[in-house]
Amino acid sequence: MKRPFQGDWVESVLTVCPDSIFITCKYNNAWLQVLGIQVKCFHEIITIGYRVYHSYDLPWFRTLSWYFLLCVNYFFYGETVADYFATFVQREEQLQFLIRYHRFISFALYLAGFCMFVLSLVKKHYRLQFYMFAWTHVTLLITVTQSHLVIQNLFEGMIWFLVPISSVICNDITAYLFGFFFGRTPLIKLSPKKTWEGFIGGFFSTVVFGFIAAYVLSKYQYFVCPVEYRSDVNSFVTECEPSELFQLQTYSLPPFLKAVLRQERVSLYPFQIHSIALSTFASLIGPFGGFFASGFKRAFKIKDFANTIPGHGGIMDRFDCQYLMATFVHVYITSFIRGPNPSKVLQQLLVLQPEQQLNIYKTLKTHLIEKGILQPALKV
């Protein structure tokens, strides 16, 4: 009987464990958890290149790989601090300097690593050294860039973090179950144990799960409010008036559903409709992240990225689909959801010079008077 995922029932449980730990994180610890997973994934992929290409004699290879990881993380996390911690940065003079020249400092750090690489070139290893230079940069693209998008999604609200990740987990489990009991038709040669029955069953199950999960989480302010940093309490807060996306709306049902449900209207959170798009991607496109990882491992004749999880490979084996999902969620939010953020605009205004703030105030006041929102001041 064909099954969609390798391993037995014990392995299917181990599949869920790392993702479940990732899900249970709180905002204050999220950065550290994402960073820890990112570093481990980077280590696993770099180690494969180190072993496959027999790079034991390359000068500075590992040192430069970790140096570039440090540089790229400095750049991305610095960008995040500048965006979301402006009020805190404003009070610290040393941080103001670092943020103001952040991109120049980041570029200078990268150039230092680039020059070190050029100086390390050895005549008999030219080709291999450039192979590993490219390997390091592609690994950075896969791990660091996409983990940064995870953080960005988290700041939009915990629900944009939980629903996509749990949808991928749900698809893994339900596709395995459907394939185990009903699987007959092989899906793809890269993964011989995956079947069409598991793929299709996982799709419908994931859409239903995502729809229900979106309904439950949309009720709670903690999950739907964007994350903001409050300098007065020195912590993240999730207090807001939920947007229309998380307020019940009444929708008219299409004719075929009216006959089935025997009602003409239904109350839903608009986010539930968006959850269908997220679940669809998680179940139809997300698995291709796993197929890509399978092809990568076959190309280099390895079974797993590492042996971090007993009997089920490394951390990267568990997060191959999650990284792809995080990228889609970020693109989806920026394309269809995100609007102007008053909190970020206010933070940017607070760091301006008083003369600039006054000019913006006068311009905004004139604009509101012209629109009839404010009454013009009476002349005495």
Side-chain angles (χ1 to χ4, degrees), residues 4 178-179 182-188 194-202:
F178 275 93
F182 309 108
R184 294 291 185 276
T185 312
L187 175 62
I188 186 170
K194 292 182 173 65
T195 65
W196 276 103
E197 291 80 4
F199 187 73
I200 295 172

Side-chain angles (χ1 to χ4, degrees), residues 223-327:
F223 295 113
V224 304
C225 289
V227 186
E228 297 179 1
Y229 180 79
R230 285 266 300 275
S231 57
D232 54 339
V233 295
N234 193 32
S235 181
F236 295 107
V237 295
T238 53
E239 299 174 357
C240 69
E241 180 67 29
S243 67
E244 292 184 359
L245 201 61
F246 305 106
Q247 296 179 11
L248 281 173
Q249 307 287 340
T250 302
Y251 297 93
S252 297
L253 292 173
F256 71 94
L257 283 180
K258 289 181 182 179
V260 175
L261 300 178
R262 296 182 180 179
Q263 58 184 32
E264 295 186 355
R265 297 178 180 274
V266 65
S267 294
L268 298 172
Y269 292 101
F271 179 76
Q272 288 180 266
I273 299 174
H274 292 289
S275 75
I276 296 175
L278 299 179
S279 299
T280 298
F281 185 91
S283 54
L284 297 185
I285 307 299
F288 281 84
F291 300 156
F292 179 87
S294 295
F296 178 88
K297 289 182 284 188
R298 285 175 179 270
F300 294 100
K301 299 179 181 179
I302 56 176
K303 181 180 179 182
D304 299 306
F305 283 96
N307 57 357
T308 308
I309 306 172
H312 206 65
I315 297 297
M316 192 63 200
D317 289 289
R318 293 291 91 235
F319 284 89
D320 46 13
C321 298
Q322 296 288 7
Y323 277 135
L324 188 61
M325 187 71 198
T327 304

Side-chain angles (χ1 to χ4, degrees), residues 4-225:
F5 293 94
Q6 296 179 356
D8 55 17
W9 290 94
V10 175
E11 291 184 351
S12 68
V13 174
L14 290 173
T15 297
V16 182
C17 290
D19 297 328
S20 300
I21 294 172
F22 196 42
I23 279 182
T24 57
C25 74
K26 293 185 177 180
Y27 290 118
N28 292 338
N29 299 321
W31 284 23
L32 292 177
Q33 295 196 28
V34 173
L35 179 61
I37 291 170
Q38 171 216 116
V39 169
K40 182 57 181 171
C41 290
F42 179 83
H43 172 257
E44 291 177 358
I45 299 176
I46 285 294
T47 300
I48 291 172
Y50 186 71
R51 291 173 179 171
V52 168
Y53 287 108
H54 304 290
S55 310
Y56 309 107
D57 298 325
L58 290 186
W60 299 358
F61 164 62
R62 285 207 162 184
T63 301
L64 284 174
S65 295
W66 289 101
Y67 177 80
F68 283 126
L69 177 67
L70 179 65
C71 291
V72 176
N73 269 304
Y74 176 80
F75 171 74
F76 280 121
Y77 278 87
E79 292 287 302
T80 302
V81 169
D83 282 343
Y84 294 98
F85 297 87
T87 53
F88 175 75
V89 171
Q90 187 183 18
R91 298 182 305 178
E92 303 291 334
E93 188 173 343
Q94 293 179 340
L95 288 179
Q96 287 183 28
F97 173 82
L98 291 175
I99 294 301
R100 182 175 182 180
Y101 300 104
H102 170 67
R103 295 191 177 184
F104 179 81
I105 294 171
S106 300
F107 185 61
L109 290 172
Y110 178 82
L111 283 181
F114 179 80
C115 293
M116 289 170 62
F117 168 75
V118 174
L119 293 174
S120 72
L121 290 173
V122 179
K123 186 174 182 180
K124 63 179 180 179
H125 293 311
Y126 283 160
R127 180 177 296 181
L128 180 58
Q129 285 181 286
F130 279 101
Y131 277 160
M132 298 315 301
F133 184 78
W135 185 286
T136 298
H137 281 68
V138 172
T139 304
L140 290 171
L141 178 65
I142 294 172
T143 57
V144 182
T145 305
Q146 297 188 73
S147 64
H148 173 68
L149 298 183
V150 173
I151 294 294
Q152 294 292 309
N153 298 340
L154 184 62
F155 273 103
E156 295 297 324
M158 182 68 89
I159 196 167
W160 292 103
F161 179 74
L162 291 177
V163 171
I165 287 181
S166 58
S167 294
V168 172
I169 297 172
C170 174
N171 185 68
D172 276 352
I173 296 172
T174 55
Y176 174 87
L177 294 175
F178 275 93
F180 182 85
F181 290 107
F182 309 108
R184 294 291 185 276
T185 312
L187 175 62
I188 186 170
K189 291 183 179 180
L190 281 174
S191 297
K193 294 185 178 181
K194 292 182 173 65
T195 65
W196 276 103
E197 291 80 4
F199 187 73
I200 295 172
F203 164 68
F204 286 106
S205 301
T206 303
V207 170
V208 172
F209 169 83
F211 195 78
I212 296 173
Y215 176 79
V216 174
L217 295 180
S218 294
K219 295 180 179 181
Y220 300 98
Q221 191 179 82
Y222 175 80
F223 295 113
V224 304
C225 289

